[in-house]
């Protein structure tokens, strides 16, 4: 078997061919758009390259047949927020052969070691964690857009190599055709109408304001968490530009108190229901197909990407007030029947409690896994946050 670095048009094409071989008979796999994957590894498109680097490899057998692929990356803004400098590997796909997987993991590890990295998380994204993050371990059904899908045997490949579960990620599903608990709506309406509170959904006409508010809320909400790093405004701007054709402004909400941003809610239509029909390519014909399927309301699911509340308002019920406003808009979008609330880390009991309070059912589990290069070093899971002393 031979590891080959992705450096030209041919190897980039082969990088995208690998998952088509792995999932050719799997009806649950939504082929990601090749262009969006390419953007992750393109310095001009991915702001993470400002303080980091990335590499890709493919694996072939002795007859030149594709067996797997992997990416490796690090961001200097983040690697030193852990006990040991930690990078990542992702976009992993591989046949069910441990020797093949070992060669891919080795390639990622050795490249990271050259950059003085001492551990790697995987499978993760070269960017923020609401996209392409985690290894599916339970719930092998349709995934919300941006949530990874993989064969069950990948868990064994990662564990056999030496990866351990750093934290678990839970996805909750909400049947939107069923009413929320009456008590929830009473509290939500009461909070929503309190003096000083205001709510706005996203408007592209004021996009710079909303990006600034997004970064402010995110940074305030997670500032006191271990390993916190301020959000890169360019990464949010880049995501909105890339995903503008996906985003429904009426599904992105902000809450304010006396004009100060205090909470955000980001939900998107599940375009995986369309991507399954496009085979990863967004050429002219497929653009027309996408617009047709979008207009004919093929999408019946949504995914909540992010919910964030600044610390002062985390026990105010503001999350329920956002749901109250969101629900009014969803009434005229009856095609949406199901919401995927993903993901909630097992280290964050507050968000888990919120998802359960609205009737969410835990249906999927992903793992964020970590491999320590020093095999004698004790492994530590991520600490629980948000527990009152």
């Amino acid at each position: 078997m031979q590891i080959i670095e992705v450096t030209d048009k041919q190897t980039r094409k082969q990088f995208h061919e690998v998952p088509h071989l792995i999932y050719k008979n799997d009806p649950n796999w939504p082929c990601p758009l090749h262009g969006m994957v390419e953007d992750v590894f393109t310095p001009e498109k991915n702001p993470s390259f400002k303080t980091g680097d990335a590499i890709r490899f493919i694996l072939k057998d002795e007859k030149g047949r594709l067996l797997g692929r992997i990416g490796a990356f690090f961001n200097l803004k983040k690697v030193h927020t852990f006990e040991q400098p930690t990078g990542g590997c992702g976009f992993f796909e591989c046949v069910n052969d441990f020797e093949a997987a070992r060669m891919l993991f080795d390639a990622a590890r050795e490249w990271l070691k050259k950059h003085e990295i001492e551990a790697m998380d995987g499978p993760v994204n070269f960017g923020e964690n609401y996209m392409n993050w985690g290894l599916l371990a339970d719930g092998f059904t349709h995934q919300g857009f941006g949530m990874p899908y993989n064969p069950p045997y990948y868990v064994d490949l990662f564990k056999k190599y030496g990866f351990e579960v750093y934290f678990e990620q839970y996805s909750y599903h909400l049947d939107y055709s069923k009413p929320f608990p009456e008590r929830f709506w009473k509290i939500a309406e009461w909070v929503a109408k309190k003096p000083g509170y205001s709510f706005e959904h996203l408007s592209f006409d004021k996009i710079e304001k909303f990006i600034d508010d997004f970064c402010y809320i995110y940074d305030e909400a997670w500032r006191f968490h271990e390993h916190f790093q301020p959000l890169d405004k360019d990464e949010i701007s880049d995501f909105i530009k890339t995903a503008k054709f996906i985003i429904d402004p009426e599904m992105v909400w902000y809450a304010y108190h006396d004009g100060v941003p205090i909470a955000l809610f980001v939900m998107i239509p599940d375009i995986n229901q369309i991507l399954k029909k496009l085979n990863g390519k967004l050429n002219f014909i497929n653009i027309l197909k996408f617009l047709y399927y979008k207009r004919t309301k093929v999408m019946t699911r949504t995914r909540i990407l992010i919910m964030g509340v600044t610390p002062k308002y985390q026990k105010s019920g503001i999350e329920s007030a956002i749901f109250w406003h969101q629900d009014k808009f969803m009434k005229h979008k009856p095609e949406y029947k199901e919401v995927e609330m993903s993901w909630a880390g097992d280290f964050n009991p507050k968000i888990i409690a919120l998802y359960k309070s609205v009737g969410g059912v835990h249906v999927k589990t992903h793992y964020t896994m970590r491999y320590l290069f020093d095999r004698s070093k004790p492994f530590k899971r991520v600490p629980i946050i948000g527990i009152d002393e």
Side-chain angles (χ1 to χ4, degrees):
M1 291 185 283
Q2 181 184 13
I3 285 283
I4 302 168
E5 183 182 346
V6 174
T7 58
D8 55 23
K9 184 176 181 180
Q10 180 181 359
T11 49
R12 285 194 296 273
K13 180 181 177 183
Q14 292 171 333
F15 185 84
H16 294 291
E17 288 175 2
V18 174
H20 290 273
L21 301 174
I22 302 295
Y23 302 102
K24 61 183 177 181
N25 296 316
D26 191 334
N28 287 321
W29 178 61
C31 179
L33 291 173
H34 296 174
M36 292 189 76
V37 176
E38 280 301 309
D39 286 352
V40 173
F41 293 95
T42 303
E44 295 78 19
K45 298 291 185 66
N46 186 350
S48 294
F49 277 97
K50 291 188 299 184
T51 52
D53 202 0
I55 196 170
R56 286 184 281 176
F57 302 99
I58 55 174
L59 178 68
K60 293 183 178 182
D61 67 11
E62 63 278 2
K63 294 183 179 180
R65 293 175 296 201
L66 289 165
L67 299 176
R69 74 178 196 182
I70 198 169
F73 23 78
F74 64 89
N75 187 332
L76 293 176
K77 285 177 59 179
K78 300 177 181 181
V79 296
H80 296 293
T81 62
F82 301 97
E83 184 177 338
Q84 64 285 312
T86 302
C89 65
F91 300 90
F92 172 86
E93 305 288 358
C94 187
V95 297
N96 192 4
D97 181 324
F98 176 68
E99 182 60 22
R102 184 191 64 76
M103 291 184 67
L104 290 165
F105 291 139
D106 280 353
R109 183 189 65 188
E110 292 306 312
W111 181 80
L112 288 168
K113 285 175 69 175
K114 291 178 182 177
H115 294 278
E116 300 182 341
I117 304 298
E118 298 176 8
M120 63 180 174
D121 289 347
V124 298
N125 186 33
F126 187 36
E128 295 303 322
N129 63 15
Y130 46 77
M131 295 288 289
N132 305 314
W133 201 282
L135 182 69
L136 183 62
D138 184 51
F140 293 88
T141 61
H142 61 266
Q143 303 296 310
F145 175 69
M147 288 302 294
Y149 180 81
N150 53 262
Y153 68 81
Y154 277 20
V155 175
D156 292 333
L157 295 180
F158 272 78
K159 287 186 174 180
K160 189 173 181 180
Y161 186 76
F163 281 90
E164 297 182 68
V165 178
Y166 186 51
F167 58 81
E168 297 185 2
Q169 307 160 226
Y170 303 141
S171 293
Y172 289 79
H173 280 209
L174 181 65
D175 184 345
Y176 219 77
S177 65
K178 295 180 180 179
F180 280 32
E182 186 62 29
R183 180 175 177 275
F184 177 88
W185 284 134
K186 287 181 179 179
I187 296 172
E189 184 175 7
W190 175 73
V191 175
K193 293 182 177 181
K194 287 177 69 175
Y197 287 98
S198 60
F199 302 83
E200 282 188 76
H201 66 72
L202 179 70
S203 168
F204 289 116
D205 292 338
K206 300 186 290 183
I207 194 62
E208 287 301 317
K209 170 192 179 300
F210 284 117
I211 290 175
D212 288 341
D213 291 349
F214 186 109
C215 293
Y216 175 82
I217 295 166
Y218 184 97
D219 288 351
E220 289 297 310
W222 281 276
R223 183 175 303 280
F224 301 106
H225 294 179
E226 189 177 20
H227 316 309
F228 166 78
Q229 282 292 310
L231 198 62
D232 187 330
K233 179 180 176 179
D234 290 341
E235 289 196 4
I236 298 302
S237 298
D238 180 71
F239 172 75
I240 290 176
K241 290 175 184 176
T242 303
K244 190 173 181 178
F245 71 104
I246 303 170
I247 295 171
D248 182 337
E250 293 181 355
M251 292 184 182
V252 181
W253 280 87
Y254 293 77
Y256 300 85
H257 186 245
D258 293 335
V260 178
I262 62 171
L264 63 88
F265 170 94
V266 181
M267 184 167 73
I268 59 173
D270 185 8
I271 68 164
N272 278 351
Q273 293 177 280
I274 296 178
L275 295 186
K276 284 184 178 182
K277 307 172 186 294
L278 305 185
N279 207 34
K281 300 175 181 178
L282 205 58
N283 52 33
F284 178 72
I285 296 299
N286 279 353
I287 290 174
L288 295 179
K289 285 183 179 179
F290 181 91
L291 295 174
Y292 170 77
Y293 289 128
K294 187 176 181 181
R295 187 173 64 252
T296 53
K297 301 180 179 179
V298 167
M299 293 182 289
T300 60
R301 304 192 299 261
T302 65
R303 178 193 166 201
I304 296 177
L305 281 179
I306 299 172
M307 290 189 69
V309 182
T310 59
K312 182 179 177 181
Y313 297 89
Q314 286 182 359
K315 294 183 179 180
S316 66
I318 197 68
E319 303 98 326
S320 60
I322 291 177
F323 271 101
W324 186 77
H325 280 275
Q326 174 67 37
D327 185 67
K328 291 189 293 183
F329 279 86
M330 293 300 286
K331 289 288 194 293
H332 67 262
K333 301 177 188 290
E335 66 271 21
Y336 293 111
K337 307 295 185 184
E338 182 182 354
V339 179
E340 177 169 301
M341 299 180 286
S342 57
W343 47 266
D346 63 356
F347 54 85
N348 193 345
K350 287 184 179 179
I351 195 68
I352 290 173
L354 173 64
Y355 286 170
K356 289 180 177 179
S357 73
V358 298
V361 179
H362 176 199
V363 295
K364 298 167 189 167
T365 299
H366 288 74
Y367 294 156
T368 291
M369 308 192 78
R370 175 165 290 181
Y371 179 87
L372 302 178
F373 298 169
D374 181 351
R375 305 307 295 156
S376 66
K377 191 170 185 176
F379 182 85
K380 299 177 183 178
R381 288 190 61 147
V382 69
I384 304 297
I385 61 172
I387 298 180
D388 294 330
E389 298 296 335

